[in-house]
Amino acid sequence: MSNSKTTRERCQSPAPSGVNEGGLESHPWSPFLPDHCRLLMLGSFPPARKRWSMDFFYPNFTNDMWRIVGFCFFGDKNHFVDADRKTFRIESLIPFLHGKGIGLYDTAKVVKRLKNTAADKDLEVVEPTDLRALLHSIPECTDVVTTGEKATDVCCQQLNIAASPAVGTSTAFPFEGRQLRLWRMPSSSRAYPMAVEKKAETYQRVFETIYQPANVPD
């Protein structure tokens, strides 16, 4: 099994993390793109470093993304949770993502935080991610998930998708001679008013479409 530093991350070079003198913040990570990536999950931008519990995507311990994934695939929202250390089990999570071909990145490379929060509404996108280049680099990808309104808006704009899908639904779009699906999922942030189990039910539609059924590990 290859590790995260040897996967296909060549479409973008690592960006320096942190905030520069103009208040601009660059993305701290390169795209996580396993070989044979089938699903690309796109958020907006990571929270400020002070909110991280690990050095990987969805690092805020109060964000429920990895609880949702644990619930959908293993029937246990705490499957990837290290409760004692208040972090996530990255040593289990990364091999799982490789095995399923799940890629991760965000729709912004450089942002300016308008307020001292992790909310999408307080992010100004200064430099969006080149999503066409990202998708070009993963030719086996069939599905794209956006995990919030801002990510969906950027994705639709870049990929020339006329109408944004409603939350919990998908829309097909053409890309380089193939048909892909864009799924708009509820935000995994606790600020989104929905129980983690209900969010997982919505995400399950995506996973069952691709993996059939989602809750049977490889």
Side-chain angles (χ1 to χ4, degrees), residues 97-162:
L97 295 170
H98 276 290
K100 290 295 183 182
I102 298 176
L104 305 166
Y105 202 52
D106 293 303
T107 54
K109 285 184 67 180
V110 181
V111 302
K112 184 172 185 178
R113 297 189 193 275
L114 304 179
K115 295 182 180 179
N116 187 26
T117 75
D120 278 2
K121 64 183 178 62
D122 296 327
L123 286 180
E124 177 187 340
V125 177
V126 177
E127 182 183 345
T129 300
D130 187 343
L131 297 180
R132 301 190 75 85
L134 199 60
L135 284 173
H136 178 78
S137 74
I138 45 175
E140 295 179 49
C141 182
T142 60
D143 293 82
V144 177
V145 163
T146 51
T147 61
E149 183 177 4
K150 186 177 289 289
T152 305
D153 289 346
V154 173
C155 196
C156 287
Q157 182 180 21
Q158 285 211 23
L159 299 175
N160 299 319
I161 299 171

Side-chain angles (χ1 to χ4, degrees), residues 22-196:
L24 302 183
E25 190 172 342
S26 297
H27 203 292
W29 305 305
S30 295
F32 178 85
L33 302 175
D35 293 334
H36 312 294
C37 182
R38 301 169 64 186
L39 169 63
L40 177 63
M41 300 184 69
L42 295 169
S44 53
F45 197 79
R49 188 177 292 270
K50 65 182 179 181
R51 302 179 188 274
W52 295 6
S53 71
M54 63 176 179
D55 192 6
F56 194 63
F57 291 88
Y58 301 98
N60 191 333
F61 190 65
T62 62
N63 187 291
D64 282 327
M65 177 56 72
W66 303 126
R67 295 178 181 88
I68 291 168
V69 172
F71 189 90
C72 288
F73 284 92
F74 299 95
D76 177 10
K77 67 181 181 181
N78 292 317
H79 182 81
F80 293 112
V81 174
D82 185 338
D84 291 340
R85 295 188 175 101
K86 294 190 183 303
T87 186
F88 299 99
R89 302 185 188 278
I90 195 169
E91 71 282 359
S92 299
L93 181 58
I94 288 180
F96 166 80
L97 295 170
H98 276 290
K100 290 295 183 182
I102 298 176
L104 305 166
Y105 202 52
D106 293 303
T107 54
K109 285 184 67 180
V110 181
V111 302
K112 184 172 185 178
R113 297 189 193 275
L114 304 179
K115 295 182 180 179
N116 187 26
T117 75
D120 278 2
K121 64 183 178 62
D122 296 327
L123 286 180
E124 177 187 340
V125 177
V126 177
E127 182 183 345
T129 300
D130 187 343
L131 297 180
R132 301 190 75 85
L134 199 60
L135 284 173
H136 178 78
S137 74
I138 45 175
E140 295 179 49
C141 182
T142 60
D143 293 82
V144 177
V145 163
T146 51
T147 61
E149 183 177 4
K150 186 177 289 289
T152 305
D153 289 346
V154 173
C155 196
C156 287
Q157 182 180 21
Q158 285 211 23
L159 299 175
N160 299 319
I161 299 171
S164 172
V167 174
T169 68
S170 68
T171 188
F173 67 96
F175 182 78
E176 296 185 348
R178 53 193 167 115
Q179 286 290 114
L180 279 69
R181 287 179 295 252
L182 171 66
W183 298 83
R184 180 179 176 183
M185 290 291 103
S187 171
S188 54
S189 168
R190 293 278 175 91
Y192 192 92
M194 182 184 290
V196 62

